[in-house]
Amino acid sequence: MRIRYLFIIGLSALAWRASATCVADGPLDTARWIYANQPGFASYELPQSFRYEERFLSPELLDLLETEWKCQGIEEGICALESDSWTNAQDGEVLPPIAFDLVSTTASQATVRMSFRFGWSDVNTPKPVAAQATLSLAKDATSSCWLLVDLVGREGRSLVKQIQSYRYP
C-alpha cells in the first residue's frame, strides 16, 4: 500500500511539474505570452531574458533557430533572417491595438492570428496600415504545453521556410 501511495504522489508531482513548465494555459494565451515576453526570440541580439526557449518553442523550431543564431554570431547578420519575424520588415513596428484571435484548434494543433497596425510611431506619414501575423502551435505530448511551430509575418513569410531554404556557410 505504501509503495502505491508513493507512486501516486510521484505521478502527481510529475504531472504538476510538467504543467508548471508551460508559459501559458492554452494556445491563445501562449501566443500572447510569446509576443509580450519574447517578441525578439528569432533574432540573435535578444534584449530580453531567453531562459524560456524550450518552454515555448517546438524542438524542431528550436533546432532551426539554433542554426540561425550560430550564423548570426559568426556572420554578423548575413543569415536567413534579415527582418523582424512579426512584421517581415527591417523598419517599422507593431503598433496598437494588438489583438489575438484563435483561428482554428484541435486537441493537438492551433492557429492564432495576431492583428495589429504596422507603421512608425514617431512619424505622421505614411499612416499605419492594418496587418497580421499567424502563429502555428502544437501541443507537446509530454508536457501538454502549447509550443510555437512557425510564425508567418505580415508579408506572408514563414520563419521556418526562411531558415530551411537558406544555405548556411
Side-chain angles (χ1 to χ4, degrees):
M1 183 69 173
R2 181 176 161 94
I3 292 173
R4 181 187 297 182
Y5 177 73
L6 291 175
F7 179 73
I8 291 171
I9 289 176
L11 282 179
S12 298
L14 186 60
W16 176 84
R17 184 173 179 262
S19 67
T21 61
C22 300
V23 297
D25 286 335
L28 196 56
D29 288 337
T30 300
R32 285 186 185 118
W33 185 94
I34 293 169
Y35 185 74
N37 295 283
Q38 299 290 331
F41 71 89
S43 72
Y44 178 72
E45 296 177 24
L46 296 168
Q48 64 277 75
S49 167
F50 201 66
R51 62 184 182 272
Y52 299 109
E53 66 271 6
E54 292 179 5
R55 292 173 51 191
F56 73 92
L57 298 174
S58 69
E60 299 80 11
L61 181 55
L62 183 57
D63 284 347
L64 289 171
L65 285 170
E66 285 175 344
T67 301
E68 174 67 11
W69 297 329
K70 227 180 275 184
C71 176
Q72 290 176 8
I74 297 167
E75 300 295 324
E76 298 179 11
I78 306 171
C79 301
L81 304 179
E82 298 178 348
S83 62
D84 178 82
S85 299
W86 301 89
T87 64
N88 293 147
Q90 292 180 342
D91 292 327
E93 58 194 296
V94 172
L95 300 171
I98 300 170
F100 291 85
D101 298 300
L102 192 58
V103 176
S104 65
T105 186
T106 66
S108 61
Q109 296 182 1
T111 302
V112 175
R113 180 177 25 240
M114 180 180 108
S115 301
F116 56 94
R117 291 181 322 129
F118 174 74
W120 293 262
S121 60
D122 56 349
V123 297
N124 291 331
T125 56
K127 296 282 186 200
V129 296
Q132 60 187 5
T134 304
L135 296 89
S136 298
L137 299 112
K139 193 170 191 177
D140 183 70
T142 305
S143 68
S144 294
C145 295
W146 287 93
L147 304 175
L148 183 65
V149 173
D150 196 9
L151 170 62
V152 177
R154 76 173 176 94
E155 290 188 347
R157 291 194 303 238
S158 158
L159 178 61
V160 168
K161 288 180 183 173
Q162 287 179 75
I163 297 172
Q164 285 177 335
S165 64
Y166 187 77
R167 295 185 188 268
Y168 288 94

